[in-house]
Amino acid sequence: MEFENVAGSTAIQLNSTTPYTTAAGDQFTITTLRYYISNIKLKRADGTEFVQPDSYYLIDQGIESSRKFSIPNVPIGDYSGITFTVGVDSVRNVSGAQTGALSPGDMFWTWNSGYIYTKLEGRSPQSSNLNGGIIFHIGGFKSPNNTIRTVSPAMNNNMIQVREGRTPEVHFKADVLKMFTGPNTIRFAASNNIMGGPDAVKVANNQAAGMFTLDHIHGN
């Protein structure tokens, strides 16, 4: 699985001097972009599923190697669907210090006993923050501000064909512009410093509605 972070049709570059523009017309640049992908499931045409155990991956735009990973021990077969969670399930949020992608770091709120599922930081001339900063820390697993979202990107009649000695590469695009448009329009003049809470729910709902799309499959 490979994740390519984009803003519309433009590949994301951290600290770019050329701003991206939201659907509402706000401009912004990005200094940090990270998000968790977890609980990956592959669905066969007959409806049965392969569930990858302990699947937690931190995608970091600043670390190229993090944007591509392999799922081991997938049974041979044809898979017509894929589902994954954007974030970290509630059980792991309350399990204390962990290892690997879930190691405590700057994607974990010790004060809130939980993970930040998506972190986007940067600047916007529309932001009223000091130096035009924008901070979007999307997290929270307790009602009514639960921001865990599970998505099943449309396969568009593509099939993931797992065979002996052949490893398909499933390439997704993650469009950060979709964080700010969809069910909810996010404007940086009003929303520029989100750390959980009801505004994070709005962004999470936007993410679930269209941030992740299947671009192509190599190696079938």
Side-chain angles (χ1 to χ4, degrees):
M1 291 177 68
E2 184 173 8
F3 288 82
E4 179 185 357
N5 298 316
V6 298
S9 59
T10 304
I12 293 294
Q13 286 190 311
L14 298 183
N15 305 302
S16 171
T17 56
T18 303
Y20 312 110
T21 305
T22 69
D26 289 349
Q27 294 187 317
F28 67 106
T29 55
I30 301 173
T31 55
T32 299
L33 175 62
R34 302 188 192 108
Y35 52 86
Y36 277 105
I37 298 296
S38 64
N39 294 300
I40 297 167
K41 299 178 182 179
L42 299 175
K43 180 176 287 188
R44 301 179 185 89
D46 64 5
T48 60
E49 290 183 328
F50 166 76
V51 180
Q52 184 191 6
D54 293 320
S55 52
Y56 299 93
Y57 301 93
L58 180 59
I59 310 297
D60 187 339
Q61 179 62 26
I63 303 175
E64 184 176 357
S65 60
S66 74
R67 304 199 297 270
K68 187 175 183 178
F69 56 83
S70 296
I71 301 174
N73 304 317
V74 178
I76 290 171
D78 293 343
Y79 296 87
S80 58
I82 188 165
T83 297
F84 54 82
T85 295
V86 184
V88 178
D89 53 85
S90 57
V91 171
R92 291 301 184 112
N93 274 280
V94 296
S95 297
Q98 294 167 69
T99 59
L102 296 177
S103 295
D106 64 0
M107 293 294 284
F108 189 81
W109 284 317
T110 52
W111 54 269
N112 196 38
S113 182
Y115 286 90
I116 301 169
Y117 308 147
T118 301
K119 175 181 283 192
L120 185 149
E121 298 176 352
R123 291 184 175 81
S124 169
Q126 282 73 42
S127 170
S128 58
N129 273 342
L130 181 67
N131 298 321
I134 55 171
I135 299 171
F136 290 89
H137 293 184
I138 310 307
F141 62 94
K142 298 176 182 176
S143 180
N145 297 321
N146 181 351
T147 60
I148 301 170
R149 296 293 180 270
T150 298
V151 299
S152 300
M155 294 292 287
N156 302 317
N157 295 319
N158 286 291
M159 194 78 69
I160 304 171
Q161 299 175 340
V162 179
R163 300 288 186 272
E164 190 73 40
R166 189 169 70 191
T167 304
E169 294 185 6
V170 186
H171 187 110
F172 293 95
K173 286 191 175 180
D175 186 353
V176 298
L177 297 185
K178 299 294 187 179
M179 294 176 63
F180 310 116
T181 189
N184 305 289
T185 299
I186 307 296
R187 301 301 303 269
F188 298 147
S191 300
N192 49 50
N193 191 351
I194 294 176
M195 295 190 180
D199 284 340
V201 172
K202 293 179 180 179
V203 175
N205 288 340
N206 285 348
Q207 289 178 280
M211 182 172 171
F212 296 91
T213 56
L214 174 68
D215 191 62
H216 60 268
I217 300 175
H218 279 309
N220 267 340

